[in-house]
Amino acid sequence: MKRHLLKFPPWRTGFGNFSSFVCSCLETGSRNGYATCCVKLPEGVPKDRDRDRDRDNPVSNMLIDSFGRHHTYLRISLTERCNLRCQYCMPAEGVNLTPGPEILSHNELLRLANLFVSSGVDKIRLTGGEPTVRKDIEDICLHLSNLKGLKTLAITTNGITLARKLPKLKQCGLTALNISLDTLVPAKFEFLTRRKGHERVMDSINAAIDLGYNPVKVNCVVMRGFNDDEICNFVELTREKPINIRFIEFMPFDGNVWNVKKLVPYAEMLDRVAKQFKGLKRLQDHPTDTAKNFRIDDHLGTVSFITSMTEHFCAGCNRLRLLADGNFKVCLFGPSEVSLRDPLRHGADDQELREIIGSAVKRKKASHAGMFDIAKTANRPMIRIGG
């Protein structure tokens, strides 16, 4: 198999005012992942994963909010555990993780996922924490990918263990992936994540390309004084590879010491790219896209900007979130949550669960608050939401 080596142009390795980005931190102990194996599909589950996929899957009223938005995209957090300790995701002092018995079990997760898909959800993204540390992730992927009506099964991962797990995950029905990488400099990676592993992430990007994923999406949270000097270096990765670099505005969550001075606005990032690369063209975005998408002449890949802080995209939002502890969240930045785990464990039938979900969706606001209000609003740390 041909190896796709990623080659980077020269960059500054001096961190400049990078030290001003440092906040005092207390490292938590590392957590081990789990070995997994691909399982066989149980008897009675349809084996034709594509059967009826092209047929319209009507969206039930349960998934339509009071503003007429159809929510067909469910993000499922499989775990709160992670093998990195990224500073913008986890507070320096660590977080109190939900005890294991309070995390959704395999069967509970699949029952809820089936409820959403049968009601009109056609895309599921698996998140964490780090989803690949969950020992039954391959089994989960296999069952989810066979839900009638599901068109896309995606994952967002830090890439630390992905390279060795991805071949089986693809066999089990994983159709799309996002890999998080915030710097191309190994020393900066270790500082930001409080762990080693930069080379492993690069290996995962290469593995995804080798396996035919196109595009391979790479998420980069841009923070002034830390990695904003690498924007054009990231864009260079798209020249010869089917990579979609996605620059994300730094967002406030509990414990990540958000400051507007660290925020690099979309307009500034775009200006930097446009000055360095000629032939930058805006692509036609889907109404539900969170990203503003661009192509550069003679580049195989693409560049995107996720502008949650400076130009929100709430009007086209079609996303819902099922957290690892079974709480249901209709907005990433909203503090409101409702438990689906508790009624499920107390014997609620599907119709009762649909009523709980539908009521929460109907309460979804037209848009999230401004970034300064978000910064003052109590919310979970990102590691306990899943992005």
Side-chain angles (χ1 to χ4, degrees):
M1 181 178 291
K2 183 180 178 181
R3 189 65 172 161
H4 296 264
L5 294 176
L6 298 177
K7 297 181 180 179
F8 309 122
W11 55 70
R12 301 197 311 273
T13 55
F15 294 165
N17 64 337
F18 162 24
S19 58
S20 66
F21 182 80
V22 181
C23 58
S24 60
C25 64
L26 174 65
E27 276 196 8
T28 57
S30 62
R31 298 179 185 277
N32 296 323
Y34 300 90
T36 61
C37 59
C38 200
V39 297
K40 295 182 178 180
L41 196 65
E43 292 297 323
V45 177
K47 294 181 174 58
D48 183 359
R49 296 176 182 172
D50 295 318
R51 189 184 68 184
D52 294 329
R53 291 283 172 85
D54 294 328
R55 189 178 300 175
D56 288 337
N57 191 25
V59 179
S60 77
N61 185 60
M62 177 187 92
L63 299 177
I64 304 174
D65 69 14
S66 59
F67 302 96
R69 293 173 295 197
H70 291 213
H71 295 79
T72 57
Y73 181 2
L74 178 66
R75 301 175 71 99
I76 301 177
S77 172
L78 297 184
T79 178
E80 296 174 355
R81 298 182 180 276
C82 187
N83 43 16
L84 296 180
R85 297 291 182 269
C86 297
Q87 295 189 32
Y88 60 77
C89 186
M90 179 182 287
E93 66 275 13
V95 296
N96 293 320
L97 300 179
T98 302
E102 296 178 22
I103 298 293
L104 288 178
S105 71
H106 178 93
N107 289 337
E108 290 170 337
L109 188 152
L110 293 178
R111 179 182 169 189
L112 290 173
N114 183 60
L115 187 65
F116 279 98
V117 173
S118 65
S119 299
V121 163
D122 60 15
K123 179 177 181 179
I124 288 177
R125 178 175 296 278
L126 303 178
T127 68
E130 169 51 38
T132 61
V133 305
R134 181 150 171 165
K135 60 183 180 180
D136 57 348
I137 186 171
E138 292 168 2
D139 193 9
I140 288 171
C141 284
L142 188 63
H143 284 80
L144 291 179
S145 67
N146 280 276
L147 292 177
K148 180 180 177 182
L150 189 71
K151 298 177 181 177
T152 302
L153 179 60
I155 192 172
T156 294
T157 169
N158 62 30
I160 293 293
T161 64
L162 183 68
R164 63 182 173 85
K165 294 185 178 183
L166 189 55
K168 288 184 179 178
L169 288 174
K170 185 174 183 181
Q171 291 174 12
C172 292
L174 187 71
T175 59
L177 57 94
N178 291 45
I179 300 173
S180 298
L181 180 65
D182 300 312
T183 178
L184 301 174
V185 182
K188 290 167 72 172
F189 177 92
E190 186 174 345
F191 167 79
L192 179 66
T193 66
R194 306 179 179 119
R195 297 289 186 273
K196 297 182 182 295
H198 185 270
E199 185 177 358
R200 292 185 185 182
V201 182
M202 304 309 298
D203 287 344
S204 291
I205 293 172
N206 287 326
I209 294 171
D210 285 340
L211 286 169
Y213 285 94
N214 186 358
V216 176
K217 295 183 178 182
V218 176
N219 293 347
C220 176
V221 177
V222 181
M223 294 160 281
R224 193 180 304 282
F226 176 71
N227 62 350
D228 58 315
D229 61 331
E230 298 185 60
I231 289 174
C232 291
N233 296 325
F234 271 103
V235 174
E236 190 63 37
L237 302 184
T238 70
R239 188 179 295 276
E240 298 179 354
K241 306 296 179 222
I243 293 173
N244 171 226
I245 293 293
R246 300 164 69 80
F247 295 116
I248 303 172
E249 291 180 335
F250 184 40
M251 299 175 283
F253 291 95
D254 274 11
N256 72 352
V257 198
W258 184 85
N259 188 308
V260 70
K261 293 180 180 179
K262 298 177 186 176
L263 172 68
V264 182
Y266 154 61
E268 181 181 336
M269 291 190 282
L270 179 63
D271 184 60
R272 293 192 195 186
V273 175
K275 286 179 178 178
Q276 181 73 25
F277 298 92
K278 304 304 179 185
L280 181 69
K281 296 182 176 66
R282 179 73 182 267
L283 300 176
Q284 181 64 50
D285 304 325
H286 189 276
T288 62
D289 276 351
T290 60
K292 294 173 174 61
N293 302 297
F294 294 80
R295 184 176 295 280
I296 300 172
D297 287 349
D298 301 322
H299 281 228
L300 183 60
T302 54
V303 178
S304 302
F305 301 87
I306 299 177
T307 63
S308 305
M309 296 294 94
T310 61
E311 295 185 22
H312 72 70
F313 31 80
C314 301
C317 182
N318 69 337
R319 291 154 182 77
L320 302 170
R321 288 170 170 79
L322 178 61
L323 308 187
D325 62 3
N327 274 17
F328 178 56
K329 195 174 180 71
V330 298
C331 177
L332 174 62
F333 299 108
S336 178
E337 301 178 1
V338 61
S339 177
L340 299 181
R341 179 201 64 204
D342 292 348
L344 189 155
R345 291 184 179 180
H346 284 90
D349 60 25
D350 285 357
Q351 184 54 39
E352 290 171 317
L353 293 171
R354 286 191 177 95
E355 290 173 1
I356 295 170
I357 294 167
S359 295
V361 171
K362 293 294 187 292
R363 293 193 297 270
K364 185 171 181 175
K365 296 180 180 179
S367 65
H368 63 65
M371 58 184 173
F372 295 105
D373 290 326
I374 292 173
K376 294 183 291 186
T377 302
N379 198 357
R380 297 184 182 217
M382 176 62 85
I383 193 170
R384 297 192 61 229
I385 296 175

